[in-house]
Each structure stands twice: as structure tokens, then as C-alpha cells.
Amino acid sequence: MFDAIVVGGGASGLYTALCLSHCYARVALLTKDNLSISASDWAQGGIAAVVDPTDSPQLHYEDTLRAGVGLCEPEAVSVLVHGARAQIETLVDLGVAFDRHRDQTLALTLEAAHSRRRVLHAADATGRALVSTLADHVGKNARIEVLEQFLVLDLILEDGRCMGVWGLDLRSPTTGVRALWAPVTVLATGGGAQVFAQNTNPPASTGDGVAIAWRAGAAIRDLEFVQFHPTALAVPGAPRFLISEAVRGEGAHLVDRTGDRFVFRDHPQGELAPRDVVSRSVFHHLEATGAKTVFLDLSPIAPDRIAYRFPNIIHICQQWRIDLYSQPIPVTPAAHYCMGGIATDVWGATSVPGLYAVGESASTGVHGANRLASNSLLECFVFGSRLAAHLAEVEPSHGRRGVDPGTAPHWPAPSPETTGALNQLKYDLQELVWHHAGICRHGDHLREGLEWCSSGDRTSP
Ligand code: SIN
């Protein structure tokens, strides 16, 4: 029996568990992989926050609404931008080593659709700097019990209230499905961009939390709003490694093979237009020209600046024989982030009592139809800390134990043939979603895709 269960080992899970440990004595942190393997760990660009005196939360608020195409929840955006500074101070106190200028002020970069330089970073591996620091604190916290390789399957429901989770210890699957009890369950399971064949996410980003919440009857919203990042590495055989938007923020040009900065024809901000605009512009340009990729030209950035800001990108490009100092990087758009998810209020509460959600698996409405760059890490910290503060008020630890968890979900160990068929189905589904429900969608394509999903005879789409 725990006071709270947090599912997910990325930034939102780690931080929420730490915040909850201030008010609860027994917090379980469950992760289906090893701790900190997550999309947050892969986050490059940074974390948006107003720390510069010439910037203001009002400008951050307006930029967020504009990027969200008028579909953000204004209250959630206000909570986000006004809560940012306090979270940055906490992260610095925890030891996160953000880049700084010589005078020790925090270094800020620019990303698309921001009207100011307001993105804090740790070179081009900001997520890793955050997640490793948080994981370190979690590891030393006697109030948090970490269960790695524990796959949550479903929620335990009692009279419509969430009372914990059913899960499988992947290290000893023969022990069968286990029930873990807690009056508070937080899903911090990240997004599901792995459903697209072309994506920038780690393999763990399969949207499990949203599916679990949906099966429990929780309200889900905005799943159609998926963000496609315009610049993923496009080299035959290479995974769609993200080439951070900060590269464009630092001055790189997005060009086609003739050197044309074609995005300016679609938007006056060119390559620094909102992400959805740039991705669509690249998509249409590739369709119109028949080219396979466009290019990021880093020649406008001084070489020593490139070396200082993008060591990880340089390293990955070298692995694929691209010398980004002397040649442009081939890129195409790829699925990157899910704006939708488990509907929550601005305190993280879902429509199921006892169930909460935070981070990419949650949908507070803060991102509208298109998230402003680097608001996602910020969201994890602002909403994770609010959730804990709220629970300390309304949900004191009361040691309630459910009577009977009911029957454990059926979880047969797949045979080798089933595993093969499932892998093929997964591959086909990813291709289908990419081609039929990707960057630019049409009714006919969506209908065809749906028909394939519901037909019994699923030859490859
Ligand atoms: C990037 O570094 O381009 C990604 C940042 C984000 O997704 O906000």
C-alpha cells in the first residue's frame, strides 16, 4: 500500500514524485523501462521561462496563445507562464547546470515563435541535464520507492474511484499481474508519437497512459493535435534524430537544394515561424519538388558557437558522415509531440476520482493545437508541483485499502508467432498512421485508414 503511485520515469514523473514526497511518506515511482529513459531525456532545445528583465510573462502568454492557433485554454497558459520562474529557481537549487554567461546570468536562446530569447539550456542536451539531476534526487529519497521495468496495464477501480494499478514486473513476468494500491495515482507516462512511422521519440513513447486512462473511462481530449517537428535528420538508415529548433534560433537557414529559403513564401518569420507552419511548408515543398529532404544550413553561425552550443548534434551528424561545418544537414519533418491526452483541470485532476495526470500524457489545454517550443519541459515542472500542492490540501494520506481488486487483467505471455504478428501489425499501423493521418490530412485518407484498422483482413496498408 502506497500513499501515491506515480507512473512514468521522465521529467514529469520524477519531479512529481519528488514534490509528493514532501507530503507523503510512501510514494511509488513505476517505470516500464529503466529510470529516466524517456522523451524528456532526449529533449534538446531547452525550457522556456521568463527570467530576463526585458521579457515578461505577458509576452510569453501571448506567444503561447499565438502558437496554439487560438485553441489554448487561457487559464492553463496563465498558470504556466506565471509559474515558470519559481520552478527554474527550484531546479537551479536542485543542481541543474543550465548554461550561463561569464557574469553568471542564465544564457537564453531563441526558438521559433518566441518573441524573445527565453529558452534556458544545457548545451543541446537540456533534457538529460534535468532528468539526471532529478533521478539523482529520487534515488536518494527514502520516501520514494522506484520500481523499474514495471509495466502498468490498467487501473484498479472501486466504485468509479481509482485505487491503484495493475501491473507486470517485466523482470519476473512469470510472477503474473500484481495489484499496487494507493488512494492517489498519477499518470506521467509521456506521449505516443511512436504511433507514427517517422518520429523523433524514444521507443518507450507509446501512449500507454492515455490508453489506460481511456479504458478506465477517463475523459480524453485533443488527440488529433499532434506536433510535427520540421527538422529531423533524414539520412537513409538513420533514425529520425531531432536537429533542435535552437539551431535555427541561433541563425541556421532552412533551405532546399538550390539554397532557397522557401518558408518565407508561407510566413514572414520564415524558418522561425511556428512549428506547424514550418512543417507544412516543408511537406508541401517536398511534394511540389519531388525532393526527399530539405536542408539546415549552419554556415551563418560562427564555428566556435556551433561547437559550444551543439556538441551532441555534431557527434550524431559525424556518425552519419555529415560534417555540419562544411555541409548542410538533410532534414524532414517527423512526429514529435502530442498536445492532446488525458483531460485534466489546472491542478492535474482527471474526470476519474483518485486519478491525476501531468506532462505530455495530460491535456490541460495549455498547448492548444500547436505547442510553443520548449513549453513542454516547463509544463512538467509547473503542473507537477501544483498537483502535489493541491493533493497536500485535498488528499492527505489516509491509508485507505481497497477491499478486493477484482480479477487481474488477462495477460498471456505471447508466443514467438504472436510476437512476430504483433511486430508486423505495429509496423503496418505506424506506416498507416504516418501516411493517412500525418502532417496534412484529408477526409478520404482518414476514412481509408479507418477502414484498414477495422477490417479483419489486414494486409499491409
Ligand atoms: C527542439 O529542441 O527543437 C525541441 C524542443 C521542443 O520540443 O520544445
Side-chain angles (χ1 to χ4, degrees):
M1 178 78 190
F2 294 97
D3 298 322
I5 291 173
V6 180
V7 188
S12 53
L14 291 162
Y15 195 69
T16 305
L18 283 170
C19 294
L20 287 174
S21 73
H22 297 147
C23 58
Y24 294 150
R26 284 205 72 196
V27 178
L29 180 59
L30 315 181
T31 132
K32 69 178 176 182
D33 209 314
N34 293 336
L35 196 61
S36 71
I37 299 233
S38 61
S40 327
D41 184 53
W42 286 22
Q44 295 180 18
I47 172 165
V50 171
V51 294
D52 184 301
T54 63
D55 195 1
S56 75
Q58 180 60 27
L59 289 172
H60 190 184
Y61 175 84
E62 287 164 14
D63 291 347
T64 302
L65 291 189
R66 209 174 303 116
V69 207
L71 290 167
C72 301
E73 291 292 340
E75 186 191 359
V77 179
S78 178
V79 163
L80 182 82
V81 300
H82 286 99
R85 195 180 178 115
Q87 294 311 314
I88 298 301
E89 283 164 8
T90 305
L91 292 169
V92 168
D93 289 346
L94 287 174
V96 177
F98 291 115
D99 289 345
R100 290 176 181 269
H101 296 295
R102 283 212 179 87
D103 64 2
Q104 289 310 303
T105 53
L106 289 160
L108 301 170
T109 194
L110 184 67
E111 286 189 271
H114 284 275
S115 58
R116 292 284 188 284
R117 290 179 85 91
R118 67 164 74 94
V119 178
L120 288 82
H121 48 84
D124 56 356
T126 312
R128 181 136 315 158
L130 286 161
V131 162
S132 58
T133 304
L134 297 176
D136 215 32
H137 284 275
V138 164
K140 292 181 191 142
N141 190 318
R143 294 176 147 227
I144 303 175
E145 191 174 325
V146 178
L147 278 81
E148 290 180 304
Q149 297 194 39
F150 189 92
L151 179 68
V152 172
L153 303 171
D154 265 321
L155 302 177
I156 299 172
L157 294 171
E158 194 181 288
D159 297 331
R161 185 185 170 87
C162 179
M163 294 298 297
V165 301
W166 289 108
L168 195 65
D169 183 347
L170 298 174
R171 283 177 292 201
S172 58
T174 47
T175 52
V177 175
R178 281 174 63 192
L180 298 184
W181 294 96
V184 166
T185 298
V186 182
L187 293 174
T189 45
Q194 275 289 340
V195 77
F196 293 87
Q198 310 288 327
N199 70 78
T200 63
N201 286 196
S205 298
T206 48
D208 314 10
V210 177
I212 288 167
W214 178 69
R215 287 197 293 274
I220 306 294
R221 80 168 156 203
D222 290 349
L223 289 190
E224 70 277 30
F225 296 151
V226 176
Q227 180 165 78
F228 295 85
H229 197 290
T231 59
L233 181 66
V235 175
R240 288 284 178 263
F241 173 77
L242 187 75
I243 308 294
S244 175
E245 197 159 77
V247 173
R248 281 172 279 140
E250 293 287 342
H253 294 167
L254 187 61
V255 295
D256 67 9
R257 87 171 86 90
T258 69
D260 178 18
R261 291 170 77 186
F262 56 91
V263 187
F264 279 97
R265 287 197 285 283
D266 291 321
H267 198 284
Q269 284 174 284
E271 53 270 289
L272 288 176
R275 231 172 245 182
D276 58 333
V277 174
V278 181
S279 284
R280 275 195 299 274
S281 178
V282 174
F283 179 85
H284 290 309
H285 196 71
L286 294 179
E287 253 191 355
T289 59
K292 292 250 180 297
T293 73
V294 290
F295 298 89
L296 267 176
D297 172 10
L298 276 68
S299 60
I301 315 175
D304 55 346
R305 181 85 187 149
I306 297 177
Y308 164 68
R309 284 289 285 114
F310 305 116
N312 193 35
I313 294 175
I314 294 169
H315 175 68
I316 298 288
C317 285
Q318 274 168 350
Q319 283 180 352
W320 295 98
R321 297 181 196 290
I322 296 163
D323 172 19
L324 52 68
Y325 292 103
S326 62
Q327 67 188 113
I329 309 173
V331 289
T332 54
H336 180 61
Y337 185 89
C338 299
M339 269 72 68
I342 308 159
T344 71
D345 64 14
V346 289
W347 298 100
T350 73
S351 62
V352 174
L355 180 67
Y356 300 83
V358 65
E360 191 176 349
S361 57
S363 171
T364 56
V366 74
H367 306 305
N370 175 59
R371 174 176 61 83
L372 182 68
S374 290
N375 269 354
S376 47
L377 285 173
L378 178 61
E379 170 189 31
C380 299
F381 305 120
V382 170
F383 287 98
S385 80
R386 276 171 74 82
L387 169 57
H390 172 67
L391 287 174
E393 293 274 309
V394 301
E395 217 42 272
S397 168
H398 46 55
R400 192 142 60 94
R401 175 181 274 282
V403 252
D404 174 7
T407 315
H410 185 52
W411 191 257
S415 65
E417 301 82 66
T418 327
T419 305
L422 284 175
N423 286 342
Q424 182 62 47
L425 181 61
K426 184 177 163 213
Y427 174 85
D428 288 346
L429 196 58
Q430 287 175 311
E431 289 295 328
L432 175 106
V433 178
W434 175 249
H435 290 291
H436 291 258
I439 300 171
C440 291
R441 299 174 190 160
H442 304 281
D444 289 349
H445 284 162
L446 290 168
R447 266 186 294 279
E448 265 171 40
L450 270 177
E451 274 162 28
W452 182 86
C453 288
S454 48
S455 86
D457 170 29
R458 294 207 188 97
T459 43
S460 294

